[in-house]
Amino acid sequence: MTAAVAGGRVDAVISRVVEVMFAFPSLLLALIFIAIAGPGLATVVAAVGLGSAPGYARILRVQTLQVLSSGYVEANVGLGLTPARILGRTILPNVARPLLALATLGVGQAIVWASALSFLGLGAAPPAAEWGTMLSDGRNYIQLAWWIAVFPGIAISASALATSVVGRYVQRRVEGKV
């Protein structure tokens, strides 16, 4: 939002940083972050957020530019409202709804990424229960006790599917199609 509202050099600098982040695949960006910060639950959460941030940043910038060029923002400027009030009362609510719908769709992807990083041993410490860690541990016993690996895999898939279905519903609701 800052890039779109400020424009000029600020927009150029922020846009270039986001483009550099886009140059790396999201999961690779998360792995690089974990390699620098070290493994752990908080690091995985931050890494997944960092990996998905460029997409959200670009969408947020475009949405903000669309709202800024609308007539009701120009009317608020004409009424003499302060920029902070215009940002908080007009721009932010109109940008937040589509972004909220997109974020609910991204939760399923975040679950899969966090599980993948835990599967690789980059998640929380072993006493913590994580689906990716359970899946990794269960693969050693797949022939003797298949349920050790199958049930965490089902949980990961079901959670990702459920959040994606909810995200699609929220997206259609925001767009006014439901």
Side-chain angles (χ1 to χ4, degrees), residues 88-141:
R89 293 250 173 136
T90 306
I91 297 171
L92 188 61
N94 287 303
V95 169
R97 281 190 308 180
L99 199 61
L100 174 69
L102 186 64
T104 57
L105 288 170
V107 170
Q109 181 181 12
I111 290 170
V112 172
W113 284 5
S115 297
L117 292 169
S118 295
F119 181 85
L120 295 173
L122 302 172
E130 283 191 330
W131 288 331
T133 306
M134 290 179 196
L135 195 61
S136 178
D137 292 342
R139 71 184 166 154
N140 298 328
Y141 305 103

Side-chain angles (χ1 to χ4, degrees), residues 9-131:
R9 290 181 189 235
V10 174
D11 185 20
V13 168
I14 293 174
S15 295
R16 290 315 149 285
V17 169
V18 170
E19 286 175 6
V20 167
M21 291 174 70
F22 255 126
F24 297 99
S26 300
L27 198 53
L28 179 62
L29 192 61
L31 285 170
I32 291 170
F33 181 78
I34 290 174
I36 293 169
L41 183 60
T43 308
V44 168
V45 170
V48 169
L50 181 69
S52 59
Y56 290 111
R58 185 172 279 180
I59 291 168
L60 183 61
R61 180 182 173 276
V62 169
Q63 289 286 352
T64 304
L65 287 173
Q66 285 179 341
V67 171
L68 279 173
S69 65
S70 66
Y72 51 88
V73 172
E74 292 176 17
N76 285 338
V77 171
L79 290 172
L81 296 177
T82 64
R85 187 171 173 106
I86 293 171
L87 184 66
R89 293 250 173 136
T90 306
I91 297 171
L92 188 61
N94 287 303
V95 169
R97 281 190 308 180
L99 199 61
L100 174 69
L102 186 64
T104 57
L105 288 170
V107 170
Q109 181 181 12
I111 290 170
V112 172
W113 284 5
S115 297
L117 292 169
S118 295
F119 181 85
L120 295 173
L122 302 172
E130 283 191 330
W131 288 331

Side-chain angles (χ1 to χ4, degrees), residues 101-175:
L102 186 64
T104 57
L105 288 170
V107 170
Q109 181 181 12
I111 290 170
V112 172
W113 284 5
S115 297
L117 292 169
S118 295
F119 181 85
L120 295 173
L122 302 172
E130 283 191 330
W131 288 331
T133 306
M134 290 179 196
L135 195 61
S136 178
D137 292 342
R139 71 184 166 154
N140 298 328
Y141 305 103
I142 197 81
Q143 292 179 348
L144 300 172
W146 56 268
W147 55 89
I148 296 175
V150 169
F151 288 132
I154 290 172
I156 293 167
S157 300
S159 297
L161 180 64
T163 56
S164 295
V165 168
V166 169
R168 290 280 181 205
Y169 175 77
V170 170
Q171 183 181 24
R172 286 185 297 167
R173 183 83 186 227
V174 166
E175 291 174 354

